[in-house]
């Protein structure tokens, strides 16, 4: 209707954040109840594959829709698409596990936080998620700047960069699904973290656009291999009665801390250049990953996906 203002956009963004704070932990916990722990890694990997496939296809579809029906029309169609999601959820016949929690809500939250940060394996994994959320995912914030000022290209080239990341992420999801019962979670987590960090550093050093696409492909591959595995591991370790609250903490570490990373990378880019900002983030997650890997026996143990590994 051409009456929207910046304030209203910020209000909508805030409300979307509130909805996600409720929806994300519930949806993440529901996956475990729906498929069971044995199939959890494959289910999470499939979910990540679908999500990242949409990241590849979605921008192209959105671009076409904006040309045909405008930005407002694209928003309306996106909203209507959720009707299909609601109908799909209503059609599911699942015997839900609803724990009887007689605690006061604040006491229940306190119990969830205590469980999460006292758990010998979940605690370091979630700290790893927080560090990665601040130092890893913020690279995507600077891709428009890099496209314009490093490669001197426009929106089409930016779309190709995001597509390269998305394709890598999709393939990583497929790999985790296929190898979840063959490789230890430890190898997938730290292998993915190392691949991401090295690929991102190489990305900041190149001025060749095709090579940049290759490096971003491997960065997306490594990052999603790492996060898909951590997600599955945390869900598997958390008990049914506490999983929702644990995944709320996961959501905070993953989504809630990401704005700090966006601010940090923007601040450093203004003062020291975009390449330095991204390189610093990559080095931080690489060193933190190496620290956890060296101390994996005492901090993580030998993580496997299987509930009862033979």
């Amino acid at each position: 209707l051409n009456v929207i203002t910046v304030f209203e956009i910020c209000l909508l963004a805030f409300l979307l954040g509130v909805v996600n704070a409720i929806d994300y932990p519930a949806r993440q916990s529901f996956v475990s109840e729906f498929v069971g722990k044995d199939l959890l890694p494959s289910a999470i990997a499939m979910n990540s594959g679908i999500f990242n496939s949409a990241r590849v296809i979605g921008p192209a579809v959105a671009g076409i829709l904006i040309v045909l029906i405008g930005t407002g029309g694209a928003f309306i169609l996106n909203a209507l698409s959720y009707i299909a999601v609601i109908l799909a959820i209503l059609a599911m016949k699942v015997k839900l596990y609803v724990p009887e929690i007689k605690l006061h809500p604040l006491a229940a939250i306190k119990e969830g936080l205590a469980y999460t940060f006292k758990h010998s394996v979940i605690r370091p994994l979630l700290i790893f998620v927080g560090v990665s959320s601040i130092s890893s995912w913020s690279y995507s914030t600077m891709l428009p700047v890099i496209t314009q000022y490093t490669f001197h290209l426009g929106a089409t080239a930016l779309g190709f960069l995001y597509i390269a990341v998305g394709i890598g992420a999709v393939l990583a999801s497929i790999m985790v699904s296929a190898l979840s019962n063959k490789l230890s979670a430890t190898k997938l987590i730290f292998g993915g973290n190392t691949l991401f960090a090295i690929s991102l550093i190489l990305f900041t050093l190149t001025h060749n656009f095709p090579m940049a696409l290759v490096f971003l492909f491997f960065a997306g591959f490594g990052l999603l291999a790492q996060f898909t595995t951590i997600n599955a591991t945390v869900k598997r370790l958390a008990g049914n009665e506490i999983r929702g609250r644990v995944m709320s903490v996961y959501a905070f570490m993953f989504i809630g801390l990401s704005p700090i990373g966006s601010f940090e990378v923007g601040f450093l880019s203004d003062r020291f250049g975009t390449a330095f900002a991204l390189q610093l983030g990559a080095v931080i997650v690489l060193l933190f990953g190496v620290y956890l890997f060296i101390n994996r026996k005492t901090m993580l143990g030998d993580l496997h996906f299987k509930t009862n590994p033979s």
Side-chain angles (χ1 to χ4, degrees), residues 161-199:
L161 292 178
Y162 282 122
I163 287 173
V165 175
I167 293 174
V170 170
L171 292 179
S173 302
I174 295 172
M175 184 203 71
V176 172
S177 178
L179 300 179
S180 59
N181 288 324
K182 298 178 181 179
L183 291 178
S184 72
T186 305
K187 293 178 181 178
L188 288 170
I189 292 171
F190 297 113
N193 180 67
T194 302
L195 179 61
F196 165 78
I198 293 174
S199 298

Side-chain angles (χ1 to χ4, degrees), residues 181-298:
N181 288 324
K182 298 178 181 179
L183 291 178
S184 72
T186 305
K187 293 178 181 178
L188 288 170
I189 292 171
F190 297 113
N193 180 67
T194 302
L195 179 61
F196 165 78
I198 293 174
S199 298
L200 186 62
I201 291 172
L202 293 175
F203 169 74
T204 65
L205 297 176
T206 185
H207 291 271
N208 181 285
F209 188 73
M211 288 303 300
L213 294 175
V214 173
F215 293 138
L216 278 187
F217 166 83
F218 284 110
F221 187 100
L223 195 58
L224 260 293
Q226 169 191 343
F227 268 79
T228 299
T229 307
I230 292 176
N231 188 305
T233 303
V234 172
K235 286 178 184 174
R236 180 178 63 81
L237 293 175
N240 289 337
E241 71 285 350
I242 202 79
R243 186 178 295 114
R245 284 169 283 174
V246 172
M247 295 314 297
S248 295
V249 179
Y250 178 93
F252 173 78
M253 302 297 279
F254 181 32
I255 301 174
L257 295 182
S258 61
I260 298 176
S262 298
F263 177 81
E264 175 206 32
V265 75
F267 179 84
L268 293 174
S269 295
D270 278 344
R271 283 154 180 77
F272 306 106
T274 303
F276 173 82
L278 297 185
Q279 289 165 6
L280 179 62
V283 170
I284 288 174
V285 295
L286 180 61
L287 293 178
F288 194 83
V290 169
Y291 170 75
L292 282 183
F293 186 75
I294 292 174
N295 296 281
R296 65 189 183 280
K297 293 299 182 181
T298 56

Side-chain angles (χ1 to χ4, degrees), residues 30-308:
F30 179 58
V31 172
S32 301
E33 298 180 25
F34 191 60
V35 301
K37 288 188 175 183
D38 289 341
L39 296 176
L40 191 58
S42 294
I44 293 175
M46 183 181 295
N47 183 60
S48 297
I50 294 171
F51 174 77
N52 287 285
S53 297
R55 286 180 59 188
V56 175
I57 301 170
V61 175
I64 295 172
L65 289 176
I66 290 171
V67 171
L68 294 176
I69 58 177
T71 304
F75 268 106
I76 291 173
L77 282 181
N78 184 47
L80 293 176
S81 72
Y82 280 82
I83 295 176
V85 178
I86 294 171
L87 292 176
I89 293 174
L90 292 176
M92 291 180 180
K93 305 299 180 183
V94 183
K95 186 178 180 180
L96 297 178
Y97 173 79
V98 183
E100 294 185 7
I101 300 177
K102 299 180 180 180
L103 295 173
H104 185 277
L106 291 179
I109 292 173
K110 181 179 179 181
E111 182 185 61
L113 290 172
Y115 175 91
T116 300
F117 289 105
K118 288 181 180 178
H119 196 287
S120 60
V121 177
I122 293 178
R123 181 182 65 250
L125 286 178
L126 289 189
I127 293 174
F128 195 10
V129 168
V131 172
S132 296
S133 180
I134 294 173
S135 301
S136 296
W137 289 92
S138 55
Y139 81 94
S140 61
T141 306
M142 304 311 299
L143 287 184
V145 176
I146 293 171
T147 303
Q148 182 175 356
Y149 294 104
T150 300
F151 299 111
H152 308 290
L153 297 171
T156 301
L158 176 61
F160 279 119
L161 292 178
Y162 282 122
I163 287 173
V165 175
I167 293 174
V170 170
L171 292 179
S173 302
I174 295 172
M175 184 203 71
V176 172
S177 178
L179 300 179
S180 59
N181 288 324
K182 298 178 181 179
L183 291 178
S184 72
T186 305
K187 293 178 181 178
L188 288 170
I189 292 171
F190 297 113
N193 180 67
T194 302
L195 179 61
F196 165 78
I198 293 174
S199 298
L200 186 62
I201 291 172
L202 293 175
F203 169 74
T204 65
L205 297 176
T206 185
H207 291 271
N208 181 285
F209 188 73
M211 288 303 300
L213 294 175
V214 173
F215 293 138
L216 278 187
F217 166 83
F218 284 110
F221 187 100
L223 195 58
L224 260 293
Q226 169 191 343
F227 268 79
T228 299
T229 307
I230 292 176
N231 188 305
T233 303
V234 172
K235 286 178 184 174
R236 180 178 63 81
L237 293 175
N240 289 337
E241 71 285 350
I242 202 79
R243 186 178 295 114
R245 284 169 283 174
V246 172
M247 295 314 297
S248 295
V249 179
Y250 178 93
F252 173 78
M253 302 297 279
F254 181 32
I255 301 174
L257 295 182
S258 61
I260 298 176
S262 298
F263 177 81
E264 175 206 32
V265 75
F267 179 84
L268 293 174
S269 295
D270 278 344
R271 283 154 180 77
F272 306 106
T274 303
F276 173 82
L278 297 185
Q279 289 165 6
L280 179 62
V283 170
I284 288 174
V285 295
L286 180 61
L287 293 178
F288 194 83
V290 169
Y291 170 75
L292 282 183
F293 186 75
I294 292 174
N295 296 281
R296 65 189 183 280
K297 293 299 182 181
T298 56
M299 299 181 72
L300 300 176
D302 189 17
L303 294 178
H304 280 82
F305 282 119
K306 290 183 177 181
T307 307
N308 295 302

